[in-house]
Structure formats: structure tokens, C-alpha cells
Amino acid sequence: MSSMLFSAASGRPTLSDVLPNSLASLRGETGSLGLPETRSVVVMLVDGLGASMLRARTGHARRLTADWRKKDTAFSFPSTTVAGITSLTTATRAGEHGLLGYSLFDRAAGVIRNQLSGWGDGMDPATWQLRRTIFEELRDGGSEVQSIVVGMPQYRDSGLTHASLRGALYLEGGTMQERVEVTLRALDNHPRALIYLYNAELDQAGHAHGWESDAWLARLEELDAAFDGLARGVDAGTGILVTADHGMIDIPRHRQIDVDDDDPLFDGVLAMAGEPRLRHLYLEPGSPADAAGELRDRWTASQGTRATIVTRQEAVSEGWYGPNVDPVAAERIGDVVVAATKGVTFYATSMQSGARLVVGQHGSITPEETIVPLIRAGAFTR
């Protein structure tokens, strides 16, 4: 494993550990996080809130960070929403559930699949995401614990919801405060519950304006107020965990690296997918056995000071996508993966992607992107 990714992962729980530990708490068992026994658990996921970001802005999140031990963090890679949320809800790493990035090349169909918002023909949520969710396990196992998702109205019927949140009762709230109110009512209505509470607003502000912007700070303060209402509103038998799917790095337009379509860096490349900070390069069918290694070497010679470049085989063997990689998931990984380690993004010159307008970026292997807070509150407060 690259030293940067290894350092980020070392000694930390992953997002896939969060719900199993929540269930252990509900069963009166001791999991790896050592959570005490509870009657109900709320896991609040804040899209796009890295641990380093929160540390830098604690003055704007005084309630959220009041009892946060800064060492209480988790690891999330790939550091992107589809992978992070699905790792949380399936209790597996990306190599098992198969949602390895924002976009991936479907070799069988010959098309690039957008796994966040591009679900369609040939991409059935019930089978494209390869693992059962914790919510399905609770529902089908006859558990008295009710699985509940509290999310935004526009995401109720999204492909990602049907793929990664299946098995849970979906409740809606239009704002962060409204979702807290919905969560508190759900706790009143269900004697025992596991609630996944999702907030997208910080990620949205970070993409549009950057996480160092006033707009992002306003959303952080809104989150802090909503969290305060949640923490005050739960009873003594409810534990709260707050985490995130990824962090974020602000990348100005002039730090976008453009590669010409006829550059040797694209020799033999059929498609480029992934995130601007974690590119997957897919070779043409029938490429020689050493083609991936040669492509990796060309990219390393050109961009090795800005990125870590590995072949698919290296990424799998070094554990980038977890200790177990399903063969179906392995096929979705690029033959070469380009992971930005400096403050840059990568594009083909011909790409007119809307991502070029995005300020806050994520997806790669840096600590700023992969290390997220894991805050204990309610009955879980230390």
C-alpha cells in the first residue's frame, strides 16, 4: 500500500465498522469501538466533512466538537460518496460492494457508468451493488430493531438509495433541522431503532464554493445547531455517532492538469473514469500483458511528483479496496489508477465536464480526503 494511504488507514476503524458496532451496542455486546449498551442508535453522516476540516473550524461547531476527542476518527477510501455510504450501510469495503467511485467504465457494455446519479439500463440497483445492507439483514432476520433512513426528499427514489439503503424505512426532511425533528419523532414512534441520518448540505456548499468559504461555514454552523437539537432531544437510552463519507480539498481552476488526447499518457487507453482526483484508466481490449505496467510507468515519469500511480493488480494486492475484492468489483477498477497526492485534478483536454467548475474536490488517498471524524454523543459520550 502507498505510504500515504497506509498512514491514513493505520489504527483507525473504517466506515464499514460503524454499523456493526452500533448493532453490538443494541444487542448489549462489546464491539471493537467499545460502545455501551443502548436501546436505539442514530448514525449521522455528514457528507463532505473531513476530520482536518472540522479541526480547523471548531469555533464554528462548538456543540458538535464539545466532547470530540480529536483522535476519534475513521478511514474512508475511496473517499467519495457512493463508496463511503455503501461501505457504511453494507459493513463492507468497496472491493466487496462494488461501488468504487463516482464513475466507472462498464467493460461489458462499453459505457461509463455514473454511480451517483446516472443509474439506468443495465445498472439495476438490486444487483449492481453486490452486498446486502445491514438494513436488509435486520428486516429479514426478524429483528425488533427498526431500520430507518432520514434523508432528503429528492433522494428517496434515487438509484443510489435503492442500491445502498435498501431494506430501511425512508423518512424525509427538507433541511438539516427538519431531518433532526423527523429523527426525534421516529425515536418516539419506535421503541428500538437504528437510524441513518444523512446531511448533504456541507458537501454541496464545498463543491460550489470551497470548504474554506463563508458559504461552507454557514452550513457548518447550521449543522452545529441541528446537532445540538438532536443531542438535547434524545433520551438517555439513545447513542449518537457522527461521521462522514470523505473530506475535501479546495482546488482552484489553475491547478487542473490537462492531458492532450494524443499524449502518450493515453496511448492504448480506451476510457478514463473515476474522480478528477482519482482517475481510472481502462486499456483497450486485447492489450498486451505488460501494457498496464508500461502505462503506469509513463504516468509516473510525467506526474509522479503529483500523484501515486498503480496498476489494478497493485491496488488490489496492496489492499486499496479492502482485504477482499469481488471479481465483479475488480473488473470495475481501471487497469491503471492515478491518485492525486498534491492539490491538483486530472482531465483530458477534450473533457468539458461540469466537474471543472467544482471548487471542493475529493476521492483520492490523502489524509485530508480519507480521514473523517467519528464523534460519540448521547449515550455514547465518553
Side-chain angles (χ1 to χ4, degrees), residues 240-258:
I240 301 171
L241 293 173
V242 181
T243 190
D245 49 353
H246 57 78
M248 189 172 287
I249 296 175
D250 288 355
I251 309 292
R253 188 69 179 262
H254 70 273
R255 297 289 291 173
Q256 296 178 5
I257 305 299
D258 280 282

Side-chain angles (χ1 to χ4, degrees), residues 93-177:
R93 298 283 298 278
E96 294 184 63
H97 61 65
L99 301 195
L100 300 105
Y102 171 74
S103 67
L104 297 172
F105 183 64
D106 183 343
R107 298 172 194 264
V111 297
I112 292 177
R113 304 285 193 184
N114 181 324
Q115 298 186 116
L116 187 62
S117 59
W119 297 76
D121 292 343
M123 199 175 174
D124 181 359
T127 56
W128 185 266
Q129 194 280 95
L130 305 174
R131 295 293 180 264
R132 288 170 61 81
T133 68
I134 293 293
F135 309 137
E136 289 177 301
E137 297 289 351
L138 286 173
R139 179 197 65 194
D140 297 343
S143 173
E144 63 180 359
V145 176
Q146 174 66 55
S147 299
I148 299 170
V149 170
V150 180
M152 303 163 84
Q154 61 267 41
Y155 297 147
R156 168 184 283 276
D157 291 317
S158 73
L160 182 59
T161 292
H162 289 297
S164 303
L165 305 180
R166 57 197 186 214
L169 171 67
Y170 195 101
L171 303 177
E172 302 174 2
T175 67
M176 285 187 264
Q177 185 58 49

Side-chain angles (χ1 to χ4, degrees), residues 19 34 37 354:
L19 291 191
E37 182 176 359

